[in-house]
Amino acid sequence: MKRLVTSLALAASLTAFSATGVLAADAGGPSSDDLLKSATNTEAVLTYGMGPQAQRFSPLTDLTADTVKKLVPVWSFSFGGEKQRGQEAQPIIYDGTIYVTGSYSRLYAVDARTGHKKWEYNHRLPDGIMPCCDVVNRGAAIYKDKIYFATLDARLVALNRETGKVVWNKKLQDYKEGYSNTAAPLIIDGKIITGNSGGEFGVIGMIEARDAETGELVWQRPTIEGNVGTLNGKDSTVTGKTNASWPGDMYKTGGGATWLGGTYDPETKTLFFGTGNPAPWNSHLRPGDNLYTSSTLAINPDNGEIKWHYQTTPHDGWDFDGVNEFVSFDLKKDGKVIKAGGKADRNGFFYVIDRTNGKLINASPFVTKITWAKGIDIETGRPMYNDDNRPGAPATADAHDAKGKSVFAAPAFLGAKNWMPMAYNPQTELFYVPANEWGMDIWNEPITYKKGAAYLGAGFTIKPLYDDYIGALRAVDPKTGKIVWEYKNPAPLWGGVLTTAGNLVFTGTPEGYLKAFDAKSGQEVWKFQTGSGVVGSPVTWKMDGEQYVAVVSGWGGAVPLWGGDVAKLVKDINQGGSLWVFKLPKA
């Protein structure tokens, strides 16, 4: 574990549906069709995002702003041992079993009624893994008789969901080069779709599809322009056009990691993956837009070809990853229904995009301070840059102590919204976005690429913008960009959001609370102290006639490692590792 600790220190510094819509418990497990319809299934949680479009909306109505006051804990399951740190997972629930991942690439199967552990899988990690942003894992995927998850040493593991025994274990990339994996996989039409992590090490972002039964590669799509994809074991097409937006050989180490995974829209049969920062951070070394970093890519799930792309931050110089989830929804505006998608980007703007063609519909700030751009041009879709707010170039490439001009930029590189997933409620027609208000001093430094080493070329210090709060849960109207209500939190918000047809919104706080809010007014209506910071994503389902809510508790993630002055403010929050389950008892 010695080299793992070293890498963390580096980061610190730098089922078939019945006619009634209920999933039948089948020994074969959930089918492809079950997964596609999972957003309407109230008796299971079959996909990351509670449906392939990742709206994180439940049709359940037992819990309301009035009845949620009766919500009580049923049991708590400890992940045990000394392997704590950040617990960012979303549980998967099927046939009375909760499948949940933990830090350090662990997976548990737990009886949903009792909290009794059925089995545990501990992935054996090598000493040399290089996770940039804590040893987290965000969740698993279920399909037929298997449960799947990705690991910190860049592998994909399939386990028998009944026994926890390994069915297959495939290498995705080489962890020695800086690759890792933290996202929950996505399963579409019998293919398991994954991304990768490691943009801070000059890797190449990838989206891969593998046969879910065998683990064999079907197609691979690099996210950096100039690299060649594969299909059925052969070279396919070049991503974009070589050297169109990257100088020289920089496309070979261009970053663009797809570290948050993707979403899928069954209506347009399209995968949506966000891409991370270009490498290095020092933008003066790579003139051009640097496609397809800091973007959303629309992908054909059959062959991995790019249908369209939208780049939120061309020529990114602030580490404004574009990985944040693209959530499909129907936009009702001016008497029309538009097949749209919403994205709360790290750069501070909330984008509404036509999901059929990638055309921008609108873009509005969802935080109070944005310094790097004056706004987004609706016609071109491009930012209107504030050139004075780009960190300056180092004096010379050879003078390793000569940093460029420092600027104060907002948002900070940890983003107006980072990985933590938002939710969309089709009844209120609002998005619920976990935002953070912070800025940073940032400067550029000379850097050269070395395989397996940090590839930043920048220094930074994050600072809060306000004395009374950093985190803000905001209800955003996608038609207008207006913030309808907000809840302000002293510490940064770093957990996912759930919304329900019972007019509720759930999210956790680093202070340890799972909280519920009225979805229309934003009034806080319930809270429970879990004993450690909540940075996981809550889910809800119905079992034995009662509505349940589950969330993982355990403080960690990127904030205490990269947070600068903000990290000092939250240094006393206790770590942990527990799965909490609550229910609304029968009347």
PDB file of all heavy atoms in Angstrom, residues 310 358-363 375-384:
ATOM      1  N   TYR A 310     -20.459  18.197 -28.354  1.00  0.00           N
ATOM      2  CA  TYR A 310     -20.595  19.580 -27.915  1.00  0.00           C
ATOM      3  C   TYR A 310     -19.492  19.844 -26.904  1.00  0.00           C
ATOM      4  O   TYR A 310     -19.419  19.191 -25.860  1.00  0.00           O
ATOM      5  CB  TYR A 310     -21.966  19.851 -27.275  1.00  0.00           C
ATOM      6  CG  TYR A 310     -22.122  21.308 -26.884  1.00  0.00           C
ATOM      7  CD1 TYR A 310     -22.634  22.228 -27.789  1.00  0.00           C
ATOM      8  CD2 TYR A 310     -21.711  21.767 -25.635  1.00  0.00           C
ATOM      9  CE1 TYR A 310     -22.737  23.579 -27.448  1.00  0.00           C
ATOM     10  CE2 TYR A 310     -21.812  23.107 -25.295  1.00  0.00           C
ATOM     11  CZ  TYR A 310     -22.326  24.003 -26.210  1.00  0.00           C
ATOM     12  OH  TYR A 310     -22.415  25.326 -25.880  1.00  0.00           O
ATOM     13  N   GLY A 358     -27.103  17.763 -31.018  1.00  0.00           N
ATOM     14  CA  GLY A 358     -26.047  18.483 -30.322  1.00  0.00           C
ATOM     15  C   GLY A 358     -26.152  19.989 -30.386  1.00  0.00           C
ATOM     16  O   GLY A 358     -25.228  20.695 -29.960  1.00  0.00           O
ATOM     17  N   LYS A 359     -27.260  20.529 -30.902  1.00  0.00           N
ATOM     18  CA  LYS A 359     -27.402  21.982 -31.009  1.00  0.00           C
ATOM     19  C   LYS A 359     -27.776  22.576 -29.653  1.00  0.00           C
ATOM     20  O   LYS A 359     -28.682  22.104 -28.974  1.00  0.00           O
ATOM     21  CB  LYS A 359     -28.460  22.341 -32.049  1.00  0.00           C
ATOM     22  CG  LYS A 359     -28.649  23.845 -32.224  1.00  0.00           C
ATOM     23  CD  LYS A 359     -29.619  24.176 -33.334  1.00  0.00           C
ATOM     24  CE  LYS A 359     -29.898  25.674 -33.429  1.00  0.00           C
ATOM     25  NZ  LYS A 359     -28.662  26.463 -33.595  1.00  0.00           N
ATOM     26  N   LEU A 360     -27.096  23.668 -29.287  1.00  0.00           N
ATOM     27  CA  LEU A 360     -27.366  24.337 -28.025  1.00  0.00           C
ATOM     28  C   LEU A 360     -28.726  25.028 -28.054  1.00  0.00           C
ATOM     29  O   LEU A 360     -29.062  25.738 -29.011  1.00  0.00           O
ATOM     30  CB  LEU A 360     -26.273  25.369 -27.738  1.00  0.00           C
ATOM     31  CG  LEU A 360     -26.426  26.171 -26.439  1.00  0.00           C
ATOM     32  CD1 LEU A 360     -26.308  25.256 -25.220  1.00  0.00           C
ATOM     33  CD2 LEU A 360     -25.391  27.284 -26.376  1.00  0.00           C
ATOM     34  N   ILE A 361     -29.516  24.825 -26.999  1.00  0.00           N
ATOM     35  CA  ILE A 361     -30.805  25.489 -26.852  1.00  0.00           C
ATOM     36  C   ILE A 361     -30.665  26.695 -25.927  1.00  0.00           C
ATOM     37  O   ILE A 361     -31.106  27.788 -26.237  1.00  0.00           O
ATOM     38  CB  ILE A 361     -31.866  24.505 -26.327  1.00  0.00           C
ATOM     39  CG1 ILE A 361     -32.074  23.368 -27.344  1.00  0.00           C
ATOM     40  CG2 ILE A 361     -33.185  25.234 -26.053  1.00  0.00           C
ATOM     41  CD1 ILE A 361     -32.947  22.242 -26.835  1.00  0.00           C
ATOM     42  N   ASN A 362     -30.054  26.495 -24.765  1.00  0.00           N
ATOM     43  CA  ASN A 362     -29.728  27.631 -23.903  1.00  0.00           C
ATOM     44  C   ASN A 362     -28.621  27.244 -22.937  1.00  0.00           C
ATOM     45  O   ASN A 362     -28.343  26.057 -22.732  1.00  0.00           O
ATOM     46  CB  ASN A 362     -30.958  28.186 -23.159  1.00  0.00           C
ATOM     47  CG  ASN A 362     -31.603  27.176 -22.240  1.00  0.00           C
ATOM     48  OD1 ASN A 362     -30.962  26.614 -21.369  1.00  0.00           O
ATOM     49  ND2 ASN A 362     -32.910  26.947 -22.407  1.00  0.00           N
ATOM     50  N   ALA A 363     -27.992  28.259 -22.355  1.00  0.00           N
ATOM     51  CA  ALA A 363     -26.930  28.062 -21.365  1.00  0.00           C
ATOM     52  C   ALA A 363     -26.970  29.222 -20.386  1.00  0.00           C
ATOM     53  O   ALA A 363     -26.964  30.385 -20.801  1.00  0.00           O
ATOM     54  CB  ALA A 363     -25.558  27.984 -22.036  1.00  0.00           C
ATOM     55  N   GLY A 375     -20.047  34.734 -20.959  1.00  0.00           N
ATOM     56  CA  GLY A 375     -21.291  34.051 -21.267  1.00  0.00           C
ATOM     57  C   GLY A 375     -21.060  33.053 -22.376  1.00  0.00           C
ATOM     58  O   GLY A 375     -19.928  32.821 -22.804  1.00  0.00           O
ATOM     59  N   ILE A 376     -22.161  32.444 -22.852  1.00  0.00           N
ATOM     60  CA  ILE A 376     -22.101  31.471 -23.939  1.00  0.00           C
ATOM     61  C   ILE A 376     -22.884  32.035 -25.123  1.00  0.00           C
ATOM     62  O   ILE A 376     -24.050  32.441 -24.980  1.00  0.00           O
ATOM     63  CB  ILE A 376     -22.706  30.111 -23.515  1.00  0.00           C
ATOM     64  CG1 ILE A 376     -22.044  29.598 -22.233  1.00  0.00           C
ATOM     65  CG2 ILE A 376     -22.575  29.102 -24.649  1.00  0.00           C
ATOM     66  CD1 ILE A 376     -20.560  29.323 -22.337  1.00  0.00           C
ATOM     67  N   ASP A 377     -22.251  32.084 -26.295  1.00  0.00           N
ATOM     68  CA  ASP A 377     -22.904  32.541 -27.514  1.00  0.00           C
ATOM     69  C   ASP A 377     -23.890  31.467 -27.970  1.00  0.00           C
ATOM     70  O   ASP A 377     -23.486  30.359 -28.331  1.00  0.00           O
ATOM     71  CB  ASP A 377     -21.855  32.807 -28.593  1.00  0.00           C
ATOM     72  CG  ASP A 377     -22.442  33.447 -29.840  1.00  0.00           C
ATOM     73  OD1 ASP A 377     -23.439  32.923 -30.373  1.00  0.00           O
ATOM     74  OD2 ASP A 377     -21.886  34.455 -30.305  1.00  0.00           O
ATOM     75  N   ILE A 378     -25.180  31.770 -27.951  1.00  0.00           N
ATOM     76  CA  ILE A 378     -26.189  30.768 -28.272  1.00  0.00           C
ATOM     77  C   ILE A 378     -26.103  30.326 -29.727  1.00  0.00           C
ATOM     78  O   ILE A 378     -26.375  29.166 -30.062  1.00  0.00           O
ATOM     79  CB  ILE A 378     -27.607  31.313 -27.959  1.00  0.00           C
ATOM     80  CG1 ILE A 378     -27.729  31.617 -26.458  1.00  0.00           C
ATOM     81  CG2 ILE A 378     -28.679  30.309 -28.366  1.00  0.00           C
ATOM     82  CD1 ILE A 378     -27.522  30.424 -25.566  1.00  0.00           C
ATOM     83  N   GLU A 379     -25.716  31.214 -30.621  1.00  0.00           N
ATOM     84  CA  GLU A 379     -25.642  30.861 -32.047  1.00  0.00           C
ATOM     85  C   GLU A 379     -24.491  29.900 -32.331  1.00  0.00           C
ATOM     86  O   GLU A 379     -24.657  28.913 -33.038  1.00  0.00           O
ATOM     87  CB  GLU A 379     -25.493  32.127 -32.894  1.00  0.00           C
ATOM     88  CG  GLU A 379     -26.720  33.029 -32.860  1.00  0.00           C
ATOM     89  CD  GLU A 379     -27.972  32.322 -33.343  1.00  0.00           C
ATOM     90  OE1 GLU A 379     -27.900  31.585 -34.350  1.00  0.00           O
ATOM     91  OE2 GLU A 379     -29.031  32.500 -32.706  1.00  0.00           O
ATOM     92  N   THR A 380     -23.316  30.201 -31.780  1.00  0.00           N
ATOM     93  CA  THR A 380     -22.148  29.358 -32.053  1.00  0.00           C
ATOM     94  C   THR A 380     -21.977  28.252 -31.030  1.00  0.00           C
ATOM     95  O   THR A 380     -21.297  27.253 -31.296  1.00  0.00           O
ATOM     96  CB  THR A 380     -20.868  30.200 -32.077  1.00  0.00           C
ATOM     97  OG1 THR A 380     -20.626  30.718 -30.756  1.00  0.00           O
ATOM     98  CG2 THR A 380     -20.993  31.354 -33.060  1.00  0.00           C
ATOM     99  N   GLY A 381     -22.561  28.448 -29.841  1.00  0.00           N
ATOM    100  CA  GLY A 381     -22.377  27.478 -28.761  1.00  0.00           C
ATOM    101  C   GLY A 381     -21.058  27.629 -28.031  1.00  0.00           C
ATOM    102  O   GLY A 381     -20.770  26.860 -27.113  1.00  0.00           O
ATOM    103  N   ARG A 382     -20.266  28.612 -28.405  1.00  0.00           N
ATOM    104  CA  ARG A 382     -18.930  28.765 -27.836  1.00  0.00           C
ATOM    105  C   ARG A 382     -18.913  29.795 -26.707  1.00  0.00           C
ATOM    106  O   ARG A 382     -19.716  30.738 -26.696  1.00  0.00           O
ATOM    107  CB  ARG A 382     -17.924  29.188 -28.915  1.00  0.00           C
ATOM    108  CG  ARG A 382     -17.716  28.129 -29.999  1.00  0.00           C
ATOM    109  CD  ARG A 382     -16.723  28.623 -31.048  1.00  0.00           C
ATOM    110  NE  ARG A 382     -15.382  28.758 -30.495  1.00  0.00           N
ATOM    111  CZ  ARG A 382     -14.489  27.764 -30.439  1.00  0.00           C
ATOM    112  NH1 ARG A 382     -14.806  26.553 -30.871  1.00  0.00           N
ATOM    113  NH2 ARG A 382     -13.286  27.981 -29.943  1.00  0.00           N
ATOM    114  N   PRO A 383     -17.980  29.635 -25.765  1.00  0.00           N
ATOM    115  CA  PRO A 383     -17.860  30.632 -24.697  1.00  0.00           C
ATOM    116  C   PRO A 383     -17.323  31.948 -25.234  1.00  0.00           C
ATOM    117  O   PRO A 383     -16.554  31.975 -26.207  1.00  0.00           O
ATOM    118  CB  PRO A 383     -16.847  29.995 -23.729  1.00  0.00           C
ATOM    119  CG  PRO A 383     -16.567  28.632 -24.230  1.00  0.00           C
ATOM    120  CD  PRO A 383     -16.995  28.553 -25.641  1.00  0.00           C
ATOM    121  N   MET A 384     -17.733  33.040 -24.581  1.00  0.00           N
ATOM    122  CA  MET A 384     -17.151  34.351 -24.856  1.00  0.00           C
ATOM    123  C   MET A 384     -16.099  34.587 -23.773  1.00  0.00           C
ATOM    124  O   MET A 384     -16.409  35.008 -22.654  1.00  0.00           O
ATOM    125  CB  MET A 384     -18.249  35.418 -24.831  1.00  0.00           C
ATOM    126  CG  MET A 384     -19.279  35.221 -25.932  1.00  0.00           C
ATOM    127  SD  MET A 384     -20.645  36.424 -25.887  1.00  0.00           S
ATOM    128  CE  MET A 384     -21.626  35.744 -24.542  1.00  0.00           C
TER     129      MET A 384
END
